[in-house]
Every structure is written in C-alpha cells, then in structure tokens.
C-alpha cells in the first residue's frame, strides 16, 4: 500500500511497489519496450543479470526438454530487495516508511487519512492499494470507494507452497548423470510445478558446499493443503514437505526413497499467490476518490506486469493534476469484467520455446508459457 502527496511519494510499508524481498520469484522475462529500457539500465548497473543456466520442462519420470536460451531470463544479482533499495536510493522524492501496516483509510476534507490500529500515519492527496487478498478487501470495505472495493473483491487468488531445501550433495539423476538443468517447470506431478538449483543459479563458481533448491507446488496442491499461512499446523507442514519431496523424486525419475534427505528445509505458504482471474487492465483508478489499485494481477502475473501497472497508475495520478484536466477521463478499470489468465502456476513469462527431442508435439494456442514452439 502506498500513499502520495503531490510533491513527494510516500511508500508504506517496507516495500517499493512491484518488488518484495522473498524467495518466490525465480526469474523474469522482458516483453514490453518500457520495461526493457528499465532492465537495460539495471543491467548496466549490475543490479540484474542474465540467467544463462539451462531451463526447461521436466516431465514425470525424468524426461527433460530444455528451452532455447532466447528470450533471455533475468535474475536480480543480489536479490530483489537489493534491487528495490537501489532504485529508492536514486531518488529523493520518495520517502519510505518501513514497518508500517495500514489498517484504515479515511477520507476527510479532501485528503486521505491513514492509520495503523488507531495510530495516525499521515494525510495524503491520493492513495494506491498495491497489494491484494483478504487484507486489501478489509481495508477497502470501509473506505467509501465502492467501485474500487467491488473490483478488488472479484479477484481470486491461488495458493502456492514454497519449499527451500539444502542437500549435502548434488541431487542424483537417472543414468548416474548430473541433473541436466538449473530450473525446470515440472509437468505431470501434483505437488511440484517448479524446481530450481539456487546454488548453481546464484553461485555458479562454487564447486563444493551445500546444494540449495527451491521447489514450488502447483496451485491445485496449494488448494488441497490450504491452511492459514501465518499459523501452519505442524502436521500439515510435515505432510506438505514429504509430499513435495516425493514429487521431486518422481519428477527426477528416481526410485522411491532414493532422494537424499535435505539437512535444512524451510516451508512457506503463499496463501494469496497468483491471480486465477484478471480484469486485463494496466491499473484501476477512481479519479473522484483519488484512489487506485496497481499490481501484477491486473495484467498478468509476473514482475514485468507489476512494473507496468505501477507506471500506468503513476501516470494517472500525475496527469490528473494537469491544468484543465477532466477527472472523468482518468477513470480506468472500474467496471472491467474479470477473465481467467493464461500461463503457468507460478506466473506468465514471455513466449518460451522448447527444443523437441523426438515425436510430434501439438502446438498449443495459449500464449505465455504454454504457447511454445517445438523445434526439431
Ligand atoms: C510463489 C510465487 C512465485 C512467483 N514466481 C515468479 C517468477 O518466477 N517470475 C515473475 O516474474 N513473477 C513471479 N511471481 C509473481 C511476482 O511475485 C509478482 O508479480 C510481484 O511480486 C508482484 O508485485 P506487486 O508489487 O504487485 O505485489 P507484492 O510483491 O505482493 O507487494 C505487495 C506489498 O504490499 C504489502 N502490504 C500488504 N498489505 C498491506 C497493508 N495493509 N499495509 C501496507 N502494506 C501492505 C505487502 O507486505 C507487500 O510487500 C511469483 C509469485 C508467487 C506467489
């Protein structure tokens, strides 16, 4: 959530919109020229780099189909939080209030009064809701913004489990070979949709030491095992961890019980993970309430969409103040219908091509990850 005064942008709480310090985002792709311009500047500063490791599809039983290296995949060199902090340090117009959780929005005398459990957090000209889920719905319910609240309430989100696991040795692969990829979208396994070797991806030069992996569940598995994310029962955590590790074993084509035990694990549930419906607009803005919503879920479900949404809403808030501007012309997304998004359980990425090994694969007519060309 963030709120704005005309001359300075105040961000609440400890996040730059569009980025968060978390282990979920695996890589991002670039499609739009405005995002490309930003990413090129980040590349020049060393804030992001291309991830050249092999990525592809891993089918149940250990069959791996690599993607072509193009389009390029990017990762934040020192993590997304560092990238966000670097962006902030470039401007003096943005003032971030860290560790501030807004629980009430109240319009008063043409200004928005924000508070955290009764503690005032300032008065602002405009507000932007840059998160979603139950908390955003609660916040908007009493805000006097019926159109914005209605749109937010229509959003439905999937749940995804993320398991970080560290192994003493490289994971085995059938035929006594090395695992042939650094990242893979997993097909045909209920409990796992993505796996990546973080050690190889982030510390390519490290030849010894632990092997750290990220495993993400499918949305279906997240739904089957949904619990309150702040209070995960131990029995659920144990069952999910075992279920996901069994899924990894099956995906790699290893015999039952042969996946080595990790010496460290961390399990997390993204209760409000990715959108299962979207209005397909860059942002939502109520010019009369001076309130808007931005977020990846309005367009796609990836970092690029989050950035473009933030830019779109910033433009609306900025241009509505132009002399002679007709506020009505700045209304956007207030009545858009929601449709199911295209793509994958962990988001949509630019069209990715799979190298065909053998056989004929039908071409899908869905865009994003599923719209791939198979090359011989
Ligand atoms: C499991 C998973 C895997 C993903 N993998 C990828 C990937 O590989 N590549 C990719 O491009 N994208 C991926 N995504 C999508 C990516 O995470 C999102 O596109 C991106 O984080 C959206 O950014 P955002 O700023 O819109 O929202 P968020 O990052 O969700 O930020 C919302 C912020 O609002 C804050 N907030 C919430 N409530 C309040 C309140 N009441 N007051 C104040 N602040 C509040 C939250 O703390 C949070 O920091 C993944 C998502 C998930 C869940």
């Amino acid at each position: 959530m963030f709120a704005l005064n005309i001359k300075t942008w105040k961000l609440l709480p400890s996040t730059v919109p569009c980025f968060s310090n978390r282990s979920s985002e695996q890589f991002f792709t670039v499609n739009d020229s405005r995002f490309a311009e930003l990413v090129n500047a980040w590349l020049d500063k060393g804030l992001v780099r291309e991830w050249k490791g092999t990525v592809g599809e891993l089918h149940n039983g250990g069959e791996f189909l690599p993607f072509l290296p193009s389009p390029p995949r990017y990762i934040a060199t020192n993590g997304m939080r560092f990238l966000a902090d670097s962006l902030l340090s470039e401007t003096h117009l943005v003032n971030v209030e860290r560790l501030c959780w807004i629980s009430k929005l109240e319009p008063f005398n043409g200004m928005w009064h924000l508070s955290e459990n009764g503690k005032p957090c300032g008065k602002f000209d405009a507000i932007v809701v840059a998160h979603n889920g139950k908390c955003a719905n609660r916040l908007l319910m009493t805000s006097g913004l019926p159109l914005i609240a209605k749109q937010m309430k229509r959003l439905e989100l999937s749940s995804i489990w993320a398991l970080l696991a560290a192994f003493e040795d490289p994971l085995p692969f059938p035929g006594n070979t090395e695992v042939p990829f650094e990242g893979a979208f997993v097909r045909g396994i209920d409990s796992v949709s993505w796996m990546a070797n973080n050690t190889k991806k982030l510390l390519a030069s490290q030849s010894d030491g632990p092997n750290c992996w990220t495993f993400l569940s499918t949305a279906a598995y997240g739904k089957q095992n949904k619990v309150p994310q702040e209070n995960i029962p131990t029995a659920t955590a144990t069952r999910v961890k075992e279920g996901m590790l069994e899924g990894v074993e099956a995906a790699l084509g290893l015999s039952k019980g042969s996946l080595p035990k990790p010496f460290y694990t961390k399990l997390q549930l993204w209760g409000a993970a990715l959108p299962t419906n979207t209005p397909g607009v860059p942002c939502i803005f109520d010019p009369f309430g001076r309130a808007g919503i931005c977020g990846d879920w309005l367009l796609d479900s990836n970092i690029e969409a989050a950035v473009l949404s933030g830019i779109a809403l910033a433009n609306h808030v900025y241009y509505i103040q132009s002399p002679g501007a007709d506020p009505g012309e700045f209304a956007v997304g207030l009545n858009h219908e929601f449709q199911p998004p295209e793509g994958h359980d962990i988001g949509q990425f630019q069209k990715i091509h799979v190298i065909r090994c053998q056989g004929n694969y039908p071409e899908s007519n869905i865009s994003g990850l599923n719209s791939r060309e198979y090359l011989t």
Side-chain angles (χ1 to χ4, degrees):
M1 144 106 245
F2 62 105
L4 322 164
N5 281 329
I6 298 306
K7 290 264 162 36
T8 58
W9 292 58
K10 188 164 189 172
L11 303 185
L12 311 165
S14 54
T15 173
V16 170
C18 314
F19 295 115
S20 47
N21 180 29
R22 62 196 205 187
S23 55
S24 57
E25 293 86 8
Q26 300 299 308
F27 68 92
F28 62 91
T29 50
V30 179
N31 199 23
D32 185 278
S33 57
R34 290 163 298 171
F35 187 52
E37 210 176 299
L38 287 173
V39 173
N40 283 337
W42 300 343
L43 279 167
D44 287 347
K45 291 179 191 144
L47 296 170
V48 299
R49 66 176 168 84
E50 205 179 319
W51 180 21
K52 296 199 172 185
T54 305
V55 175
E57 281 184 4
L58 178 66
H59 291 252
N60 186 354
E63 186 198 4
F64 177 69
L65 301 177
F67 292 154
L68 291 175
S70 178
R73 294 173 284 272
Y74 299 97
I75 52 177
T77 316
N78 298 306
M80 295 307 267
R81 175 58 176 268
F82 186 80
L83 171 58
D85 284 345
S86 305
L87 298 181
L88 267 182
S89 67
E90 285 170 13
T91 173
H92 59 278
L93 292 176
V94 179
N95 173 23
V96 176
E97 298 276 329
R98 292 198 188 271
L99 297 178
C100 171
W101 198 259
I102 299 303
S103 56
K104 198 151 198 184
L105 311 169
E106 288 168 294
F108 189 70
N109 271 349
M111 297 291 277
W112 281 101
H113 291 226
L114 272 53
S115 57
E116 180 185 10
N117 295 329
K119 187 179 122 221
C121 298
K123 303 172 198 167
F124 300 90
D125 298 302
I127 50 166
V128 171
V129 178
H131 65 294
N132 54 34
K134 264 191 259 165
C135 174
N137 282 326
R138 248 197 320 267
L139 203 53
L140 286 169
M141 215 159 52
T142 54
S143 63
L145 295 162
L147 294 177
I148 296 243
K150 177 195 75 187
Q151 289 300 66
M152 182 63 94
K153 216 157 175 234
R154 292 165 91 174
L155 170 68
E156 286 164 17
L157 295 155
S158 68
S159 297
I160 305 264
W161 287 94
L163 175 65
L164 306 182
F167 300 87
E168 296 282 4
D169 297 306
L171 290 186
F173 197 70
N176 281 334
T177 53
E178 261 190 36
V179 173
F181 57 84
E182 290 187 11
F185 292 94
V186 179
R187 307 287 184 205
I189 299 280
D190 183 37
S191 60
V192 186
S193 73
W194 165 263
M195 55 192 286
N197 183 336
N198 285 339
T199 309
K200 284 237 157 131
K201 179 170 129 185
L202 302 171
L203 306 167
S205 56
Q206 183 177 299
S207 54
D208 50 7
N211 288 259
C212 302
W213 286 77
T214 298
F215 306 116
L216 298 178
S217 80
T218 60
Y221 192 76
K223 194 171 174 184
Q224 276 162 26
N225 294 284
K226 180 114 204 268
V227 288
Q229 67 184 39
E230 314 76 19
N231 190 13
I232 299 172
T234 313
T236 308
T238 307
R239 188 180 67 241
V240 167
K241 196 171 90 174
E242 282 172 5
M244 289 182 72
L245 289 173
E246 277 168 21
V248 169
E249 189 173 71
L252 289 171
L254 302 173
S255 57
K256 214 164 171 35
S258 65
L259 183 80
K261 293 245 168 310
F263 67 86
Y264 169 86
T265 54
K266 185 174 173 214
L267 186 69
Q268 184 179 6
L269 174 64
W270 293 107
L274 289 145
T276 58
N277 61 354
T278 169
V281 286
C283 63
I284 294 179
F285 187 56
D286 176 348
F288 300 103
R290 284 191 179 236
I293 304 179
C294 69
D296 64 328
W297 58 273
L298 294 161
L299 278 174
D300 271 322
S301 36
N302 57 42
I303 289 170
E304 176 173 32
V307 169
L308 295 177
S309 178
I311 294 174
L313 190 52
N315 284 339
H316 269 71
V317 174
Y318 181 74
Y319 288 114
I320 197 176
Q321 303 158 51
S322 316
D326 170 8
E329 283 182 11
F330 289 87
V332 60
L334 293 168
N335 293 301
H336 267 71
E337 293 299 322
F338 281 50
Q339 305 290 340
E342 297 162 347
H344 188 88
D345 278 8
I346 69 157
Q348 291 141 312
F349 301 90
Q350 204 196 340
K351 195 170 174 183
I352 288 174
H353 304 270
V354 173
I355 300 170
R356 189 173 79 178
C357 301
Q358 54 186 344
N360 291 318
Y361 293 79
E363 186 140 5
S364 162
N365 59 3
I366 311 169
S367 72
L369 252 194
N370 294 332
S371 166
R372 55 199 180 246
E373 265 169 28
Y374 294 94
L375 307 175
T376 41

